[in-house]
Amino acid sequence: AVLQKFNTANQWNCKDFSELKDKIDHTNKKERKEANELINSLKICDPAVGSGHFLVSALNELIAIKDNLQILSYRNGDRVKGFRIEMANDELIITSEETDDLFQYILNQNNKPIDELQQLQEALFHEKQHLIENCLFGVDINPKSVVICRLRLWIELLKNSYYTEESKYQQLETLPNIDINIKCG
């Protein structure tokens, strides 16, 4: 779907992500933003959503694709660098490119954010929030399944919640109400 979206929008004929990655100028902020908007225009619907496993996997896959295409960006528009984001068992695995250490969002000993970790955590939170609110849709006949799916997506977003500057890094960013796109029917 991502390849098709890019090929159609740009009249390209890319056959795989490698070709697509070569076509996108990830050094150009405007082109990176447009590429992100193309991916963000995808709509994914699970008509029998159940526990939400498929939607959570799709969410993480879209983040990994953005990283693979080198278009994943911080909130200021700069490209995310220094980290490798991959999928393993439907989970995002984030490692440092320099040390291969797993990403851990922590504050320093003075309860202040470590800039590069804070920026990545915020970027992931807002990417996931946008995708959940605008790209992922689900329906199930069982109302309990709908609740479970909403909860799974909410927990997935919670994994990237971050301490806010406004709270002097004492409180996490408020989680949004995400029940809009997951319905019982």
Side-chain angles (χ1 to χ4, degrees), residues 121 125 153-162 172 175:
Q121 191 76 351
F125 179 89
L153 287 168
W154 200 68
I155 289 169
E156 196 60 34
L157 186 57
L158 181 62
K159 289 178 183 178
N160 294 107
S161 191
Y162 59 91
L172 292 171
L175 293 172

Side-chain angles (χ1 to χ4, degrees), residues 8 23 28 33 42-43 63-65 71 90 96-98 103 106 122 125 147-148 151 168 182:
T8 302
K23 288 260 192 191
N28 181 315
K33 184 178 181 203
L42 286 170
K43 304 294 181 223
I63 300 288
I65 287 170
I71 62 171
D90 297 323
S96 166
E97 286 180 343
E98 191 176 303
F103 170 75
I106 55 173
E122 285 184 30
F125 179 89
V147 171
I148 291 169
L151 182 60
K168 296 183 178 147
I182 312 300

Side-chain angles (χ1 to χ4, degrees), residues 67 74 79-85 94-101 103 116-117 120:
D67 184 68
Y74 295 117
R79 185 171 70 88
V80 170
K81 295 179 188 174
F83 297 96
R84 204 174 17 257
I85 301 175
I94 306 166
T95 54
S96 166
E97 286 180 343
E98 191 176 303
T99 64
D100 282 335
D101 291 338
F103 170 75
E116 67 177 0
L117 303 182
L120 181 60

Side-chain angles (χ1 to χ4, degrees), residues 164-182:
T164 63
E165 186 177 2
E166 299 81 40
S167 72
K168 296 183 178 147
Y169 305 104
Q170 299 299 308
Q171 295 178 355
L172 292 171
E173 174 68 20
T174 305
L175 293 172
N177 181 358
I178 57 170
D179 64 359
I180 342 169
N181 299 331
I182 312 300

Side-chain angles (χ1 to χ4, degrees), residues 77-133:
D78 292 343
R79 185 171 70 88
V80 170
K81 295 179 188 174
F83 297 96
R84 204 174 17 257
I85 301 175
E86 302 167 316
M87 287 282 291
N89 298 323
D90 297 323
E91 288 283 329
L92 281 181
I93 306 298
I94 306 166
T95 54
S96 166
E97 286 180 343
E98 191 176 303
T99 64
D100 282 335
D101 291 338
L102 283 175
F103 170 75
Q104 265 188 300
Y105 176 61
I106 55 173
L107 300 177
N108 66 20
Q109 62 271 18
N110 300 321
N111 281 336
K112 299 286 185 226
I114 301 166
D115 281 342
E116 67 177 0
L117 303 182
Q118 180 77 12
Q119 287 179 341
L120 181 60
Q121 191 76 351
E122 285 184 30
L124 291 171
F125 179 89
H126 290 284
E127 283 286 338
K128 284 183 176 184
Q129 180 181 1
H130 182 82
L131 293 169
I132 289 169
E133 290 177 343

